Amino acid sequence: NVSGMDFGSSKNGIWSDEIGHHVDFIDASDSQSAEKNFHNLEKYSMHYCVRPIFGGGVWRSFKPFTKGIIAAHCGSPVIVNKGVDDVDYFLPNDYPYLVDGNDESSVIDVIEKAKSTFGSADWLMALDVMRNIVDMTTPKAMAEQFSNIFNEF
């Protein structure tokens, strides 16, 4: 059974009443909310991280793929749109739950795909990708990445 959630701040994602019929929103807009609601993550089999895509420019801000990394450490696939920061680094082009665009119908289509493919080859492939993200983000792996950065100087 697939149950999806968005753990974060409502202002950071693409959200609508229709999306809310498929994905629960769990407030983590500040440290108190995040700490209070963190235990709810284990109840969900799928995480949601569809964000607006911003153009370049001086004032563009970047958001790390924290929701994807949290999903990976929870053992859950993530639904995310192409163009979200770090998605190209962590997810292969054939990742089955990539939303092409950020309109509501494209998002709903991928949510429905995730629900209908639960336990299938697509779902298992997504879980393999998420396990790879866990391996990439262990404390040891992160320390090695920092060491490599410093060795370049």
Side-chain angles (χ1 to χ4, degrees), residues 94-114:
D94 62 344
Y95 180 77
Y97 308 121
L98 275 176
V99 178
D100 192 16
N102 57 5
D103 60 283
E104 181 183 75
S105 65
S106 296
V107 172
I108 300 292
D109 287 347
V110 174
I111 292 170
E112 290 295 335
K113 177 182 179 182

Side-chain angles (χ1 to χ4, degrees), residues 26-70:
I26 299 176
D27 185 30
S29 57
D30 56 42
S31 59
Q32 287 178 318
S33 299
E35 186 175 340
K36 178 180 139 192
N37 292 320
F38 195 76
H39 70 279
N40 288 317
L41 297 179
E42 67 188 9
K43 299 176 186 176
Y44 294 90
S45 56
M46 170 182 74
H47 291 218
Y48 177 85
C49 177
V50 180
R51 297 184 184 277
I53 303 302
F54 300 105
V58 175
W59 302 110
R60 191 216 190 282
S61 64
F62 293 87
K63 304 239 350 134
F65 192 43
T66 309
K67 287 184 180 193
I69 294 167
I70 289 171

Side-chain angles (χ1 to χ4, degrees), residues 9-20:
S9 172
S10 60
K11 67 181 180 182
N12 290 330
I14 294 188
W15 198 257
S16 70
D17 289 341
E18 184 60 29
I19 292 169

Side-chain angles (χ1 to χ4, degrees), residues 102-149:
N102 57 5
D103 60 283
E104 181 183 75
S105 65
S106 296
V107 172
I108 300 292
D109 287 347
V110 174
I111 292 170
E112 290 295 335
K113 177 182 179 182
K115 289 181 176 183
S116 69
T117 59
F118 180 74
S120 73
D122 279 345
W123 188 269
L124 297 176
M125 182 265 213
L127 290 177
D128 283 342
V129 169
M130 302 316 277
R131 280 189 286 275
N132 186 49
I133 292 172
V134 169
D135 292 342
M136 295 168 68
T137 57
T138 63
K140 181 180 179 185
M142 299 299 289
E144 288 173 1
Q145 290 175 40
F146 278 110
S147 177
N148 290 338
I149 290 169

